[in-house]
Amino acid sequence: WIEVNGIRFHTSRRGSGQPVFVALHGFGAGTFSWREMGGEDGPPGTVLAYDRPGFGLTERPTDPEAYRPRSAPGHLLGLMDAWDLDAAVLIAHSAGAPTALATARQHPGRVSALILVAPAVGGEPRGPSPTLCALLDTPWMDRMGPLLLRATVPLLQRGLDRAWADPAGPPPAVVADYRRPLRAEGWDRGLWEVLRSRICHPGLHAIPESPDPSLPILVITGELDTIVDPADSRRLARDLDAQFAAIPDAGHLPHEERPGAFLAVLREFLQSEGIAPAPGELVP
C-alpha cells in the first residue's frame, strides 16, 4: 500500500532488475490483470502495477476529483516518485492507455517507452451533455447511482465474457479475480464516480497529440477484440508511428487470454528497441 495525493493505493511488484515497467489496468480490472508479467516466462525486469481509483483494492476516496481523468497522470507520477523512479516503461491496457499517453506527452522525461494494449483512445464525437451531467450531479442521483450499480453486477460478468475470445469464457480463477474487488468497501461509490467522470469529464480519451517521435511505442491488439476494434488500434499505431502487433485467438484481454503470445511480442519489441538484451546477450 502506498499513499499518494491522500489516497491509499494498492500496488504489486513482480520480477526484479531492469527495465522497470509501470502497468496501468483497464476498466473493471486491477493489479491481478498483470499476473502473467512476472516469473521466468515474463519480460525481463520489474513490473510495478497499481489499482487505479475506483478499481481493485485501492481506497475509494470521497472527493470526486480523485476519479477525474485529469487527475490520473498526477496519481501515476506520484507513485513513480514513491517508487523512486526517474523514468519507466509504461504498459497500459484499454482505459488505462489515455493516462499513459497523456503522461508521455506532458512529462516526456518520465517515460522511456509506451506499450498500449487494446487502447481505448478515440475522439469524442460530442462534448458532455450539460443536461445529463446536471442530472448526474443531483443529490438524488448521488444517492441512487451506487445503488443502481449494485443491481448491474450480472452485466459486469457479461462484459468480462465479451472481453474473452474463447466461447467457453474466462477460467473460474480469472472470474474470481475480477469479482474480488466487488467486496471492497465503497466499491459501488468508486465505480459510480468513475462512470460519472467518464461521461462528464472525458478529457484524456480524445486522440492525443503524438508524444516525442523518438519514444519507442508498441500497440498490441487481440485479433478478435469486440470492445476496441483492432482496426482502430492499427490506426492509432499508424498515427503514433508505433510498432503494431495482433495476437491471434485473443479478445480484449490478450495479456490474460494468450499470455505466451503476448509476452513473446513484448520481448521482441524490447529487444528491437534496445530496452532489454537479446537472447544470449550479456547484461552490463
Side-chain angles (χ1 to χ4, degrees):
W1 300 91
I2 298 175
E3 184 166 329
V4 170
N5 300 331
I7 304 169
R8 289 184 73 238
F9 282 86
H10 175 248
T11 71
S12 70
R13 177 187 295 264
R14 294 174 172 84
S16 61
Q18 296 291 328
V20 176
F21 303 83
V22 175
L24 292 79
H25 63 80
F27 186 87
T31 59
F32 56 82
S33 186
W34 307 105
R35 67 181 77 77
E36 303 291 346
M37 292 286 287
E40 294 181 0
D41 296 330
T46 304
V47 180
L48 301 170
Y50 66 99
D51 292 339
R52 300 190 296 119
F55 301 107
L57 303 180
T58 284
E59 178 186 18
R60 272 60 170 179
T62 57
D63 183 2
E65 186 65 26
Y67 305 92
R68 302 283 192 258
R70 65 189 176 206
S71 300
H75 299 326
L76 169 58
L77 293 174
L79 284 160
M80 289 179 63
D81 290 341
W83 282 317
D84 199 24
L85 296 176
D86 292 328
V89 177
L90 300 186
I91 179 166
H93 174 246
S94 193
T99 298
L101 274 164
T103 303
R105 186 176 72 251
Q106 297 167 10
H107 306 276
R110 305 298 300 270
V111 182
S112 52
L114 271 179
I115 300 158
L116 307 176
V117 185
V121 179
E124 298 291 338
R126 294 182 299 273
S129 164
T131 302
L132 176 59
C133 292
L135 173 64
L136 295 179
D137 283 337
T138 60
W140 184 83
M141 282 301 298
D142 197 54
R143 291 193 302 272
M144 293 300 299
L147 296 177
L148 292 172
L149 279 178
R150 285 186 170 273
T152 65
V153 168
L155 295 179
L156 300 178
Q157 171 68 54
R158 277 182 232 150
L160 179 58
D161 290 341
R162 183 185 169 202
W164 213 259
D166 187 338
V174 172
V175 174
D177 278 342
Y178 276 85
R179 291 186 65 88
R180 191 169 295 115
L182 299 181
R183 298 198 298 269
E185 182 179 356
W187 75 265
D188 49 351
R189 165 60 56 185
L191 190 56
W192 169 248
E193 293 295 352
V194 169
L195 293 172
R196 184 158 58 174
S197 291
R198 285 174 65 90
I199 293 170
C200 297
H201 306 272
L204 298 182
H205 287 264
I207 294 176
E209 300 173 12
S210 296
D212 182 345
S214 66
L215 181 69
I217 305 176
L218 170 65
V219 176
I220 305 177
T221 186
E223 284 188 349
L224 303 179
D225 192 341
T226 61
I227 294 177
V228 173
D229 191 330
D232 291 338
S233 294
R234 185 182 292 275
R235 190 176 303 113
L236 179 65
R238 185 179 65 245
D239 292 343
L240 297 176
D241 194 23
Q243 294 189 41
F244 176 80
I247 306 297
D249 301 319
H252 189 57
L253 298 164
H255 53 303
E256 297 192 64
E257 189 171 14
R258 296 288 181 266
F262 176 83
L263 291 170
V265 166
L266 182 55
R267 285 192 292 268
E268 183 179 353
F269 167 74
L270 297 171
Q271 292 160 10
S272 70
E273 295 293 344
I275 299 170
E281 183 180 338
L282 294 176
V283 180

